[in-house]
Structure formats: C-alpha cells, structure tokens
Amino acid sequence: MALSVVILAAGQGTRMKSDTPKVLHPISGKPMLFHSIDAAQKVSDDITVVLHHQAERIQKAVEAVYEGIAFHLQDAVNYPGTGGAMRGISPRHERTLILNGDMPLITEDSLRLLAEGDADINMSVLQLDPPPAYGRVIIEDGRVQRIVEDKDCTPEEKAVTTLNAGIYCVSRHVIDAYIPRLNNDNAQREYYLTDIVEMAVTEGKTVHPVIVRAEEFLGVNSKLDLAHAEEMMQRRIREHWMREGVTMHLPETIYIESDVTFEGECTLENGVTLLGDTHIVHSHIKAHSVIEDATIIDSDAGPMARIRPQTTLEGTHVGNFVEVKKSTLTGVKAGHLSYIGDATIGEGSNIGAGVITCNYDGKAKYPTTIGRNVFVGSDSQLVAPVTLEDETIIAAGSTVTKDVPTGALAISRTPMKIVAGFFNKFFGKGQ
Ligand code: UD1
Ligand code: MG
C-alpha cells in the first residue's frame, strides 16, 4: 500500500507530571511512541514523526531502535496545535495517515480500515455517551460537516455523542491546500487540524467517517491513562499467546512484555513476569518467577526463580530462589537457593543448594566454567575465574579457589572436632 504516515508527537504531555517526554513512557516494556511506529511500519514505508518538546531526546530514542524514520520539527511557538504540527510536511505518497503519538493501542487492522477507499478525508469516529472532552463531529443530513473542539462547543454541540477519535487518512490535496490555510481563530488560539474537515466540505470534497473501537483510540494523557493502556495491552498480549497455545494459570496475574516470544507448548503459572527479549520454548515457568532477556528451552524454572539477561537454560531444572545471570546451563539441575553468574555449566551437572559463584571481586566480573557430570555439593562457593572439569565432585561447604581436574574431588573444610561433654561444662549441669 503506497501510504505515508505522520505521527504527531510534539505535545508536551503536561498531565504526565514527568521529566520524561510523554511518548517515551513505556507500556509493556516499550515506549508508547514505539507501539505507534510498529503499527505504522506494517502499513507504510514513509513515516514522519513530528517533534518539538524534548525533540532531541525522543529522536535519539527512536533512532536507537528504528531505521528510516523521518523527523519534522514543529514551529510550536508560532504554530501551536495539531494543525501547526502538519505545517511544512510533504509526504511521499498520495495518501497520508495522520496518527497521534499517544495512542499506543492502535492496531494495524484499524490503520488499514482507515486507509481504505479514496475519500479526501477518512476520519476516525467514536460513539460515546456521555461524551468525553473530545472534538464533536457535527453531522447534518447524514453528512459530516465539521469538527468542533470541546472548548469551542455551544451547549447543544456539547451534547453530541459522535466524537473525533483523532486519526485521519487524507489526500495530498488536503495537505497541500488546507494545512497552509488553517487559522488559530478559536478558544485555544491553536491551529486545529480538525478544521480541514470543514474546508473539505465547503469545497465539495468527500469526508468519510470510519467508526472505530474506543479501546484502540484511548489517548494517554496521564499516569492513570498509562496504567489503563498497559492493562489493555497486557490483556492483548496474553490472549494472543494463549491462542498460540501457551497455558496460563490466573492469566490476569501474569505480566508479559511486548517482545517476549513463545514456541511449542509452554505453561506459565500465576504471578510470572516475563521481560524484554525473553524467548521460551516448550518450558514450564512456575509461580512468581521473573525472567528477563533470557532464552529457556525444554526447561522448568521456579517457583520464585529469577533468570536475568543473557542466560540460556536448555533441558535444565531451576528451582526456588535460584538466580541465574549471563550463564548457559545445558542439562543441569539447580534446585534450590543459588546464585549462578557468568557461568557455563554442562550436561548432567548438579548444583547443590546454596551454591554461589563468586563472580565479582569488586572491580571486574570473572567466569566460572563447569563441565559435564559435575556434582557441586551444597553451600559451596566457586571463586571465579575457576574451572571445574568434567566428572568432578565438590564436597559440600567447600570454597573452591583453584581449577579442579577431571575425575577429582575438591574439598576445602575446616576439620571437624568433637569435644565430649562440652555442653555441661559450658552451661553448667542441669541446664
Ligand atoms: C485532538 C483533536 C480532537 C480529538 C482528540 C482525540 C485537534 C484540534 N483536536 O484533541 O478533536 O477528539 O485529539 O484524542 O486536533 N500535538 C503536536 N503538536 C501540537 C499539539 C499536539 O504534535 O502543537 C500532538 C500531541 O503530541 C498528540 C496529538 O498531537 O500526540 C494530539 O494532541 P492533543 O493536544 O492531545 O489533542 P487533543 O486536545 O486531545
Ligand atoms: Mg489528546
């Protein structure tokens, strides 16, 4: 589809009460604006983001993730408002979809619906009663006449329940001819994009209202809206993955970020949190585990496991209160209460309760390499850098400071003493 997209993101977002620009607030792990860009990229190869407030910061954030996005700086001092935002933009294609950067729930399907046909203006329309403070769509004889902003409404207009959802698809004529002619003769002294509708009607052009689903067009203006948008996004993400075959216990307690993916048959128990670029294949994640930027294949983890970035678990069992960071565990059992960081652990190895990789000396991180069929006894500390070769045994309670060669036992313990009769000597008889 030869379609251009302009995303309006120059507004200040005062109601967020934040130093972070509104469109960079994350929803399900991704800045709000990125959700709009993702949807836009599915329908267009010509995307322009309009910026003003904290423009540089937003542009940098976008450029760190996306390629080929154009940026347009609005002259918001002289031309404030959504119409002012469109000044000086010349899209590449004949038709342009204009989106708000604060509508993260918009879907590709709705964008396609809005881009259909060849009306000069397709505009998104909502029916809500009682009407919130949106622009009212004035319809006479079944035809859209104009949009009146809430602050400019007469009492009769205020009662109108047909509302402007704020997304449009317009022809090149609208952009070239109407945008330069907009004025700021209104309550807010702003250049309203919405005035293009009346201009088109006056010139006998076609304005086509497209009824849309309110949920997708939720504008995020406050932290409360942000939380609502995230709830809806979470519901969508969970429902998508359940349809793809993921089993979820008490799904409303599970949090899954946008970039998480699943393959095969997976189960998530209640309270699981899956973050970042996590990939789960044919695995069972037990209650209240937190997993971030990790790959888990044919494994089970938790309850209450914490799997941190750059970890791969394959054919592995990780039990409760085990933390794994930047490690690769293949065919391993680590059942209880461990910290495994910067480690590689091979097939058939067992990590006992309370084993700690001492990977950090206060200045730098060091690796621990554990071979195949290694038995690491409970409560051992492995002081990195250190290697435990294949088929070695570490006795419980050892502090391992040297490499252990294949087939060996390593034991480091203070010899145990038995002092007979000491109790009575110390506490006195009859205690
Ligand atoms: C706008 C519509 C209103 C509609 C509502 C739906 C106008 C005049 N009104 O109102 O009819 O019901 O959306 O949500 O268009 N922006 C800029 N530059 C600016 C001002 C805004 O880029 O100078 C951007 C904002 O960042 C935001 C979008 O435009 O992404 C919408 O602006 P906002 O101020 O939220 O418009 P509304 O008052 O909500
Ligand atoms: Mg708004």
Side-chain angles (χ1 to χ4, degrees):
M1 187 186 322
L3 182 70
S4 292
V5 173
V6 175
I7 304 176
L8 306 183
Q12 197 170 357
T14 332
R15 282 168 286 170
M16 294 297 280
K17 300 202 163 78
S18 172
D19 293 335
T20 302
K22 174 161 95 171
V23 293
L24 291 188
H25 281 270
I27 293 182
S28 298
K30 208 191 274 189
M32 215 189 295
L33 176 60
F34 292 11
H35 290 284
S36 307
I37 294 177
D38 288 344
Q41 278 191 327
K42 290 184 182 140
V43 300
S44 174
D45 62 354
D46 176 37
I47 299 167
T48 304
V49 179
V50 181
L51 298 173
H52 172 74
H53 286 282
Q54 302 203 53
E56 217 172 297
R57 181 166 166 193
I58 299 171
Q59 181 168 345
K60 262 200 194 133
V62 173
E63 283 174 340
V65 176
Y66 297 92
E67 272 176 30
I69 307 286
F71 297 91
H72 178 82
L73 273 186
Q74 178 184 357
D75 176 1
V77 177
N78 295 307
Y79 295 100
T82 48
M86 288 299 295
R87 278 182 78 91
I89 291 184
S90 42
R92 209 187 303 153
H93 299 300
E94 180 51 38
R95 291 178 70 73
T96 299
L97 202 50
I98 304 172
L99 311 182
N100 287 353
D102 62 359
M103 289 184 180
L105 294 165
I106 193 79
T107 62
E108 177 192 355
D109 286 350
S110 290
L111 296 187
R112 288 196 188 280
L113 194 67
L114 272 155
E116 264 176 21
D118 56 3
D120 279 273
I121 300 177
N122 275 348
M123 57 172 294
S124 53
V125 169
L126 285 172
Q127 299 280 358
L128 291 175
D129 194 4
Y134 280 34
R136 308 297 200 281
V137 183
I138 309 301
I139 298 176
E140 286 163 15
D141 304 327
R143 283 169 186 270
V144 174
Q145 299 298 316
R146 60 188 184 279
I147 298 171
V148 185
E149 287 306 290
D150 185 68
K151 290 191 174 122
D152 299 290
C153 277
T154 63
E156 297 85 73
E157 286 166 343
K158 276 241 185 221
V160 170
T161 53
T162 307
L163 306 162
N164 172 26
I167 292 188
Y168 322 82
C169 187
V170 302
S171 65
R172 182 182 297 281
H173 173 75
V174 169
I175 293 191
D176 292 348
Y178 301 164
I179 300 292
R181 272 170 37 205
L182 292 172
N183 63 50
N184 63 347
D185 189 10
N186 54 55
Q188 303 189 81
R189 310 299 302 165
E190 281 188 3
Y191 292 79
Y192 290 167
L193 178 59
T194 44
D195 289 346
I196 58 172
V197 169
E198 196 172 4
M199 289 175 173
V201 170
T202 308
E203 275 198 0
K205 304 282 186 193
T206 42
V207 177
H208 179 59
V210 179
I211 307 274
V212 295
R213 299 193 322 143
E215 173 188 304
E216 283 187 40
F217 289 76
L218 173 79
V220 174
N221 294 307
S222 65
K223 298 258 170 82
L224 186 66
D225 294 339
L226 190 72
H228 285 153
E230 180 146 271
E231 274 172 28
M232 289 188 225
M233 184 79 76
Q234 280 302 306
R235 186 155 38 80
R236 271 191 205 169
I237 292 173
R238 289 189 302 253
E239 285 176 5
H240 166 76
W241 287 116
M242 283 189 269
R243 275 194 290 270
E244 293 295 310
V246 177
T247 300
M248 298 189 197
H249 299 295
L250 294 183
E252 60 282 9
T253 66
I254 296 173
Y255 181 84
I256 306 171
E257 287 189 345
S258 319
D259 289 340
V260 174
T261 54
F262 297 87
E263 268 177 68
E265 214 176 332
C266 296
T267 297
L268 305 178
E269 293 185 6
N270 54 297
V272 163
T273 300
L274 304 177
L275 307 171
D277 193 14
T278 288
H279 188 51
I280 302 196
V281 184
H282 213 92
S283 293
H284 186 149
I285 312 301
K286 296 183 185 166
H288 300 289
S289 296
V290 179
I291 299 173
E292 180 176 6
D293 293 325
T295 301
I296 300 188
I297 305 165
D298 298 327
S299 297
D300 69 278
M304 288 165 286
R306 177 153 185 230
I307 314 297
R308 294 173 49 203
Q310 299 182 55
T311 295
T312 301
L313 307 182
E314 189 163 1
T316 286
H317 160 71
V318 164
N320 53 192
F321 307 111
V322 173
E323 175 181 348
V324 187
K325 185 219 78 170
K326 203 177 176 183
S327 295
T328 301
L329 277 60
T330 313
V332 174
K333 285 187 181 143
H336 337 262
L337 296 147
S338 271
Y339 172 62
I340 299 167
D342 303 289
T344 310
I345 310 180
E347 188 79 39
S349 291
N350 185 91
I351 307 299
V355 169
I356 306 284
T357 54
C358 308
N359 62 330
Y360 183 52
D361 65 0
K363 284 190 191 165
K365 304 272 166 71
Y366 301 94
T368 298
T369 307
I370 301 176
R372 299 161 74 92
N373 302 324
V374 174
F375 182 89
V376 184
S378 296
D379 195 30
S380 294
Q381 305 99 54
L382 312 176
V383 182
V386 71
T387 298
L388 316 183
E389 289 184 5
D390 293 350
E391 288 159 12
T392 50
I393 299 175
I394 310 302
S398 295
T399 301
V400 180
T401 54
K402 284 187 283 204
D403 291 353
V404 182
T406 305
L409 163 76
I411 177 161
S412 95
R413 283 183 195 158
T414 313
M416 185 175 147
K417 261 195 272 180
I418 298 282
V419 183
F422 186 80
F423 185 94
N424 286 347
K425 209 163 111 190
F426 188 73
F427 287 118
K429 232 186 158 71
Q431 279 280 327

